[in-house]
Every structure is written in structure tokens, then in C-alpha cells.
Amino acid sequence: MGIWIIALIAIIVAFLTIAAFVLPKFFLHNKCAVKKSADRGIKRTVDRDGESVLYEPSPRVKKYIKQYVLTCRDGEKSIVCKMNRRTKYADYDIVVFNSANVVKCILNVKEAVPANGYSHVVKLPDDTAYVSLNLNEANDKTFDSKVLSRVSAGRILLFVLISAILIALTVMGIRVCCAYLFGGLFRESLIYENESILYTGIIGAAVAAVDLVITLTAVLVKNYGGAGKKVKEE
């Protein structure tokens, strides 16, 4: 009996791990469309408290965000932007890269520009190597922002198909384990009996339907709700 208890636990753990982490990571993850920074470093300053690098953003962004400074002080990294004097409001993404040129995170900043013309200080992850600025909105003008790619219909279809197969195998595995644990002499009939198979199919279909609803809801939120961004508003 002990081996069937272990098998039951293993099946449940494997299902939860694959369904909650593995499959969403492969099929429902919004990929960052920005692969590298187009911003140009123009000046580096080093003192006893740390160092800072002055950057110029890409030409489109530079019309509204003139420059920005990436600073490292006592191991803490931050960024401050110098706005164009005509910029009164800005909505922009800070795409953060680490030293391996991998996107660490995307910080979304929305702020009314202070009177001094500089943005508020935005803290960055400790392993930040450099960033890239992407402008979503400035003053009353909106830009076509494509920082995050949307989850395609093909990836959703594959996710649903593989999830359905996973659920079917999991329900069948749980059914076999329960039959050997609680079925006694009738365990084989519990496994192969038509009525038992029907109930198993109904349970599996219900779980699959719930999984599909949750999946589609999550995808809609990720595609149209700015998923993957850590929002910071001032």
C-alpha cells in the first residue's frame, strides 16, 4: 500500500508543477521585444561614493526625455531622467538588462514631471548592468509600444492541448492509485468498469474546462493589461 501512496503523491506533485510552472513558462510567457539598448553612454563619473553614467536615449525618446543618469551608490542602483522642458507628463518603460544581456524586468513609470524638469528617482535591481527606455505616452501624444509581445493563438492552442492530455493522464493515474488503495478485491473492476470510466471522464472534462477558463483569463490579462511590468506611479 505504501508504494501507491507514494505514487499518488508523486502524480499530484508532478501535475501541479507542470501545470502551474512548466507549461505557463513555455507557452504563456510574454517575451520582451527589446533585445538590446539603443541608448548611448556619453559620460562616466567616478567618486568615493560610487559611480554614475550619463546616457542619451534613442532619437524618438530623446524628443521628450533628454538624458538619464544610471547611478550606483553603496551597492544600490537607480535612474533619474532629465526631461525636455516641454514635457509635462511621461509614461515610459525602463527595460532592465543584467550583465549577461538578459532582460531582468520591465519597470513602468507614469509621472507628472516636477517643476525642476527631472523625474523622480527609480530604484533598479542590484544586478542591473544597463537599461533601455521605451516611451508609451508623452503629454497628450501616445506611441505604439511593443515592449512585450502578446501570447499568440498558436501558443494558447498548444497549451490547452497539452494541458488536456496532462489532465487526462493525471486523472487516470489518480484513479488507478485510489483503486489499489481503497478498492480491495474489486480494484480491477474499479479501473476497467465502464461507469467508473465515465465518471473519470466527467471529472477530467470539468477540470479541463476550469483550466481553460483560467488560462484564457490569464492570457487576456497578460496581453491587454500590461502583464510582466512592475508599475511605478508618481
Side-chain angles (χ1 to χ4, degrees), residues 55-209:
Y55 288 88
E56 283 188 350
S58 60
R60 188 183 75 169
V61 176
K62 190 178 177 181
K63 293 179 181 179
Y64 301 91
I65 303 176
K66 190 174 181 179
Q67 296 173 334
Y68 65 87
V69 177
L70 192 62
T71 303
C72 180
R73 292 283 187 272
D74 298 323
E76 294 185 355
K77 296 185 178 181
S78 61
I79 182 175
V80 175
C81 299
K82 182 180 180 181
M83 302 297 188
N84 187 297
R85 62 182 181 180
R86 293 188 297 273
T87 305
K88 303 302 179 184
Y89 171 80
D91 175 346
Y92 56 97
D93 296 320
I94 304 173
V95 183
V96 179
F97 293 85
N98 61 19
S99 57
N101 297 324
V102 175
V103 175
K104 177 72 176 178
C105 65
I106 301 173
L107 306 176
N108 179 246
V109 180
K110 301 178 182 179
E111 64 178 350
V113 179
N116 62 7
Y118 289 88
S119 70
H120 294 83
V121 176
V122 178
K123 292 184 178 180
L124 302 174
D126 293 339
D127 58 349
T128 300
Y130 63 96
V131 303
S132 179
L133 297 189
N134 181 79
L135 196 61
N136 301 314
E137 184 179 352
N139 297 333
D140 296 324
K141 187 174 182 179
T142 303
F143 301 91
D144 184 19
S145 177
K146 295 182 180 179
V147 171
L148 291 175
S149 63
R150 291 180 175 178
V151 179
S152 66
R155 282 200 284 162
I156 296 174
L157 183 61
L158 280 173
F159 177 84
V160 172
L161 178 61
I162 295 175
S163 294
I165 295 173
L166 176 64
I167 291 170
L169 293 175
T170 302
V171 171
M172 179 60 69
I174 292 175
R175 177 184 168 197
V176 171
C177 291
C178 290
Y180 276 92
L181 284 171
F182 308 112
L185 297 176
F186 303 99
R187 57 177 178 266
E188 291 188 3
S189 62
L190 290 175
I191 295 175
Y192 300 109
E193 188 180 54
N194 290 335
E195 186 176 353
S196 177
I197 294 175
L198 176 62
Y199 289 149
T200 301
I202 292 173
I203 293 172
V207 174

Side-chain angles (χ1 to χ4, degrees), residues 45-63:
T45 302
V46 180
D47 55 38
R48 59 184 180 182
D49 295 325
E51 66 175 346
S52 59
V53 181
L54 179 65
Y55 288 88
E56 283 188 350
S58 60
R60 188 183 75 169
V61 176
K62 190 178 177 181
K63 293 179 181 179

